[in-house]
Amino acid sequence: MTTLPVVTKHQLRQLARERRMALGDTLRANHSAQIMERLQGELAALSPDDALLTYRAMNSEVDTGALFQQPPCRIFAPRTHSHEHMEWVETHPGTHWHTGIFGIREPAGDRLWHAGPTTILLCPLTAFDRSGNRLGMGKGCFDIWLAGHRPAISRIIGLAFSCQEMESIPAEDHDIPLDIVITEKETIACRTS
């Protein structure tokens, strides 16, 4: 982790993207596999009826594709209608996918997630700090959705490459911190919930 004189969210987001892209495809794939292996330990206690809400990786994000091929429980992916409206659609290995309004692959289907006993959210991020603060892509979709659904989520887990860690991410009162961040090097407990 490097301390740099970066002050704005935009600058932090840009720096983290550059670091992530600099890894290259092969190293990103290797690190993603290591992160998925670490994640399995966090998901081991899930039952087939529990829910995992996870993003579908784009660009240089941690690859979550294996989760959709061999789901550890009921798995849901986001479908976004606008910045303010996101819903989670149940998927399976044969799910049909289309490109959504933000250029992200989204599932077709009509079985939506509803709060249940155990739901874990895998949250995409561009940058993070050890307090669980995160920067997303800047559109606010996850933040807006989380504001209304946090009580129904058992744990929020961020998946990131270690190079995306920053000393500090500016947080606002409405920001909801991550519980855990998993990188290729370690699992970071950000807070106790």
Side-chain angles (χ1 to χ4, degrees):
M1 177 176 57
T2 307
T3 304
L4 297 172
V6 178
V7 294
T8 69
K9 287 184 177 183
H10 174 75
Q11 290 170 316
L12 289 170
R13 192 175 283 117
Q14 183 62 32
L15 175 61
R17 283 186 190 144
E18 289 171 4
R19 288 178 178 178
R20 193 169 67 186
M21 287 301 296
L23 291 174
D25 293 342
T26 302
L27 198 52
R28 271 196 308 274
N30 290 340
H31 286 352
S32 287
Q34 292 171 319
I35 291 166
M36 287 295 108
E37 187 174 316
R38 285 182 181 281
L39 177 62
Q40 293 308 316
E42 295 296 323
L43 303 181
L46 291 176
S47 78
D49 293 327
D50 291 333
L52 179 64
L53 311 181
T54 185
Y55 65 96
R56 183 92 189 221
M58 57 183 267
N59 299 327
S60 57
E61 292 177 329
V62 172
D63 186 0
T64 57
L67 294 169
F68 293 98
Q69 297 307 311
Q70 295 181 326
C73 58
R74 295 176 61 216
I75 190 164
F76 297 79
R79 183 166 53 205
T80 307
H81 300 286
S82 68
H83 292 293
E84 294 82 28
H85 182 69
M86 184 170 71
E87 61 192 6
W88 294 85
V89 180
E90 189 165 8
T91 70
H92 52 83
T95 294
H96 293 286
W97 298 81
H98 64 275
T99 302
I101 63 170
F102 297 118
I104 298 170
R105 291 182 69 200
E106 298 181 345
D110 56 3
R111 295 189 66 177
L112 301 180
W113 170 81
H114 297 285
T118 301
T119 299
I120 292 178
L121 171 65
L122 300 183
C123 201
L125 56 90
T126 302
F128 72 94
D129 65 23
R130 288 188 176 250
S131 295
N133 299 311
R134 68 176 272 279
L135 288 177
M137 296 296 287
K139 303 216 184 301
C141 298
F142 269 75
D143 298 312
I144 292 167
W145 183 85
L146 262 173
H149 295 88
R150 178 57 180 116
I153 306 299
S154 305
R155 279 184 293 163
I156 304 171
I157 300 175
L159 303 179
F161 303 113
S162 58
C163 65
Q164 294 173 256
E165 181 178 352
M166 300 293 165
E167 183 176 342
S168 179
I169 300 288
E172 298 174 38
D173 290 341
H174 64 270
D175 289 335
I176 298 172
L178 303 164
D179 297 305
I180 298 169
V181 177
I182 300 175
T183 74
E184 75 280 6
K185 293 181 178 179
E186 61 185 322
T187 298
I188 304 163
C190 301
R191 64 190 198 109
T192 56
S193 48

